[in-house]
Amino acid sequence: MTRAQRHEQLIDVARGLFAEKGLDGTSVEEIAAHAGVSKPVVYEHFGGKEGLYAVVVDREVQTLHDAIHAAISQPSVSPRRLIELGTLALLDYIEESPDGFRIISRDSSPISLDGKDSAESRTFATILSGIAARVEGLLGAQFARRGFDPDTAPLYSQMLVGLVALAGQWWVDARETTSLTKPQVAAHLVNLTWNGLSGLLPHPRLLVTDEDADA
């Protein structure tokens, strides 16, 4: 095996172990044993478990980022169609890379506070934030035309993207027990988001306010 081939083999082996056991539950000894090499080989290529994990995360995040960015960056597409395309892009990634999705949605570090774009900061959360920012622009324009407060667009964009992401996390675990196919899941998600948006009230109120509860 060449050095490049060994490098890729270690990444592939570690990816499966990280998906199954997480970063803390995986040891260098396990990675080396599954790859059929000694521990020093792992250290030589990646400097340790954390370095290998960073490479795995970076690759998965880049794959998902590219897929969703391509889906929601198509020109002359209606807002509803963009929601459909973004939803399908996420579900496609989950279906094709379930191990990778488990890694970045479960184990990745939270949003970086220093704003740096690195393997440690470009996590699932930052991808979703980027998508939400794009949705925010679409919603802001729609809200302004319909007499809604455009300042609420960031909140609604976070809710929409969070809804799709959380449903995607459910689907990756329920695919073997649910009869719902990927297109059906996407259709139900778009049904809730789009038709829910069409019935929004401009000034919603809770049925029971704090004042009512104290009375």
Side-chain angles (χ1 to χ4, degrees):
M1 208 178 269
T2 66
R3 179 177 177 81
Q5 290 172 331
R6 179 68 72 191
H7 191 85
E8 293 301 317
Q9 182 214 19
L10 290 171
I11 292 173
D12 186 59
V13 167
R15 184 175 180 270
L17 290 171
F18 288 143
E20 179 185 355
K21 301 182 177 183
L23 174 62
D24 293 336
T26 303
S27 66
V28 174
E29 288 85 353
E30 286 180 292
I31 296 170
H34 280 76
V37 299
S38 62
K39 286 172 54 179
V41 173
V42 179
Y43 288 109
E44 177 187 352
H45 278 263
F46 301 100
K49 178 178 69 172
E50 289 74 15
L52 179 49
Y53 176 76
V55 172
V56 171
V57 169
D58 189 56
R59 286 194 177 189
E60 294 302 326
V61 166
Q62 190 63 53
T63 298
L64 180 55
H65 174 273
D66 291 348
I68 294 181
H69 183 269
I72 66 176
S73 297
Q74 298 188 29
S76 304
V77 176
S78 68
R80 176 184 173 125
R81 184 56 180 158
L82 283 179
I83 293 175
E84 292 180 354
L85 291 172
T87 299
L88 284 169
L90 175 58
L91 294 180
D92 283 343
Y93 172 78
I94 292 172
E95 182 177 53
E96 296 166 7
S97 304
D99 284 351
F101 181 74
R102 286 191 180 94
I103 291 170
I104 63 175
S105 63
R106 179 191 63 199
D107 295 330
S108 296
S109 57
I111 297 175
S112 171
L113 297 179
D114 59 12
K116 293 181 179 178
D117 189 26
S118 65
E120 290 75 21
S121 64
R122 287 191 298 110
T123 62
F124 187 57
T126 59
I127 289 179
L128 297 184
S129 293
I131 299 169
R134 176 67 184 271
V135 174
E136 177 184 329
L138 296 172
L139 289 182
Q142 294 286 340
F143 280 16
R145 283 196 292 269
R146 295 178 56 186
F148 288 73
D149 182 1
D151 288 342
T152 62
L155 172 63
Y156 279 96
S157 68
Q158 293 290 336
M159 288 191 290
L160 287 174
V161 173
L163 168 69
V164 174
L166 204 58
Q169 288 179 307
W170 167 82
W171 187 61
V172 74
D173 293 323
R175 284 187 304 158
E176 295 183 359
T177 58
T178 182
S179 61
L180 293 173
T181 64
K182 179 177 63 179
Q184 288 174 326
V185 172
H188 282 291
L189 282 168
V190 175
N191 180 42
L192 176 58
T193 56
W194 186 253
N195 291 319
L197 285 174
S198 66
L200 286 181
L201 298 173
H203 303 289
R205 290 177 59 87
L206 298 177
L207 293 177
V208 178
T209 64
D210 292 339
E211 290 78 7
D212 295 331
D214 293 338

